[in-house]
Amino acid sequence: MVFKGRTSERHPSVPSIQEMPGVAIHPNDRCRQDRLGGNLQGLALCAGVGGLELGLHVAEPGYRTVCYVEREAFAAACLVARMADAALDQAPVWDDVATFDGRPWRGKVHLVSGGYPCQPFSCAGQRRGKDDPRHLWPHIRRIVAEVDPEWCFFENVEGHLDLGAADVFQDLQGMGYAVKAGLFSALEVGASHLRRRLFILAHADKVPLLQPDGDRAVGCRHAPSERSIADGFPNRSGERHSAMDADLAAHSCLERPAEGATELPLFAPAPFELDVWTQVLDRRPDLQPELFGLDHGVADRLDRTDAAGNGVVSLAAAYAWRTLKTAHLNSWR
């Protein structure tokens, strides 16, 4: 469902958060228990087509999005479609970050995520920063203050690092967050293109970081467990060990194709990998790139192209989350 947000007051016909179907809302003590159990609930601001949220689901299997905020009609329609096919969590969609009220969500979510517009900082534009009307960080900052989440996870273009990022870091630190940030690329997770992006992960200073098993503070050492990674970081239940192997083996989307079936690469081949493209198109001619099609004089797929340009590579987001979260945990040791 998409809720219009032209006013900060709730229309009588729009249900309250507690009345919204498919949204798990719990009292504060339950919210805390969910965090200790590894289940995170989040608000997705400037959600786009959901790439950042998919990445969070990969990185944190217990993660659940409870509300999306997205103004672009095509992107919002994609969110609804992905909710319909169960790729994304069922949740309401609010259409304007400028009118979104975070106060009702205070104490009910653990994380605020967002890929706020990159145009004010992108080297492909005029780089007007705060003077750009698409500069939405002040609204993101307001919502973070209203919600007071444990975690904040943001993504933007590489150019943001030397234009505007310092203000973001300062604002988050002023609200009581420790900030970790880094540049991560799609190439690092197997894509054929670079798409380097700045990811920011902030954690509330007032919330102690726990060991992955959720029962002791990070400062308390644990004995290395089965199949822990090289630095001795203990396993979380259901991750990095045989239990996870069993879960993955039973997952239908990861089953090996039957004999003779078409097996496609995870990412499209690079433009210069002509031999790989030949193999793929011999098996799946319907995947012929539109670039090689005939010009019929009618604009087509512009919304999709725009969404892809603004989108986040989900595996890069997952890699960024796990890397930056580990940096936070290490700082508490």
Side-chain angles (χ1 to χ4, degrees):
M1 65 188 72
V2 180
F3 297 130
K4 299 299 180 181
R6 301 309 175 197
T7 174
S8 59
E9 297 182 0
R10 182 172 64 89
H11 191 276
S13 64
V14 177
S16 66
I17 292 174
Q18 288 76 11
E19 298 167 341
M20 292 177 184
V23 181
I25 300 298
H26 309 284
N28 291 359
D29 59 342
R30 177 62 181 275
C31 187
R32 180 176 180 274
Q33 292 172 9
D34 285 344
R35 179 179 68 83
L36 297 180
N39 297 320
L40 298 174
Q41 295 177 166
L43 295 176
L45 308 179
C46 304
V49 295
L52 197 60
E53 298 306 293
L54 288 173
L56 284 167
H57 279 284
V58 171
E60 299 284 350
Y63 176 72
R64 173 172 170 75
T65 311
V66 296
C67 186
Y68 305 91
V69 181
E70 175 53 49
R71 185 166 190 165
E72 295 294 330
F74 178 81
C78 287
L79 294 175
V80 173
R82 297 292 74 77
M83 284 188 267
D85 63 22
L88 290 174
D89 295 316
Q90 294 282 339
V93 181
W94 190 263
D95 80 331
D96 193 350
V97 72
T99 62
F100 182 80
D101 186 359
R103 291 170 294 182
W105 298 94
R106 192 180 184 95
K108 298 180 175 67
V109 295
H110 314 90
L111 186 152
V112 169
S113 65
Y116 46 93
C118 65
Q119 290 89 344
F121 321 110
S122 175
C123 294
Q126 297 180 7
R127 309 198 76 200
R128 297 175 60 191
K130 295 179 180 179
D131 296 328
D132 194 307
R134 296 164 293 187
H135 180 54
L136 295 184
W137 170 250
H139 295 295
I140 305 294
R141 178 185 60 208
R142 169 186 58 80
I143 294 170
V144 169
E146 292 172 348
V147 175
D148 191 29
E150 178 182 355
W151 295 96
C152 298
F153 188 46
F154 302 121
E155 176 270 346
N156 215 288
V157 293
E158 182 180 6
H160 190 25
L161 190 58
D162 61 3
L163 179 61
D167 293 332
V168 172
F169 300 158
Q170 185 176 5
D171 287 343
L172 289 169
Q173 291 167 346
M175 290 187 285
Y177 288 89
V179 180
K180 305 289 185 183
L183 293 174
F184 298 84
S185 71
L187 191 63
E188 292 176 87
V189 293
S192 58
H193 61 292
L194 185 59
R195 194 180 287 259
R196 187 182 288 118
R197 294 293 184 264
L198 173 66
F199 287 88
I200 302 168
L201 181 61
H203 182 264
D205 294 329
K206 64 184 178 182
V207 182
L209 276 170
L210 304 179
Q211 286 282 13
D213 59 9
D215 63 354
R216 284 181 281 184
V218 171
C220 302
R221 295 288 183 176
H222 290 245
S225 56
E226 179 191 7
R227 291 179 62 181
S228 61
I229 58 178
D231 64 355
F233 196 87
N235 293 318
R236 173 179 295 181
S237 175
E239 295 184 27
R240 299 199 195 102
H241 55 75
S242 55
M244 185 178 183
D245 294 340
D247 291 340
L248 293 179
H251 203 294
S252 59
C253 73
L254 296 178
E255 294 178 356
R256 180 174 293 277
E259 186 70 24
T262 301
E263 187 173 1
L264 298 174
L266 180 61
F267 293 98
F272 58 83
E273 295 178 316
L274 299 181
D275 55 337
V276 182
W277 272 113
T278 299
Q279 296 173 18
V280 171
L281 295 177
D282 282 346
R283 292 175 291 173
R284 290 286 303 275
D286 58 303
L287 296 179
Q288 178 76 38
E290 190 68 20
L291 180 63
F292 295 104
L294 296 177
D295 181 7
H296 47 54
V298 179
D300 185 26
R301 300 171 61 175
L302 295 179
D303 288 330
R304 292 179 59 185
T305 301
D306 185 58
N310 291 331
V312 178
V313 175
S314 299
L315 288 181
Y319 178 47
W321 169 273
R322 297 299 294 176
T323 301
L324 297 174
K325 183 181 178 183
T326 299
H328 277 288
L329 290 167
N330 288 339
S331 69
W332 277 70
R333 289 182 175 180

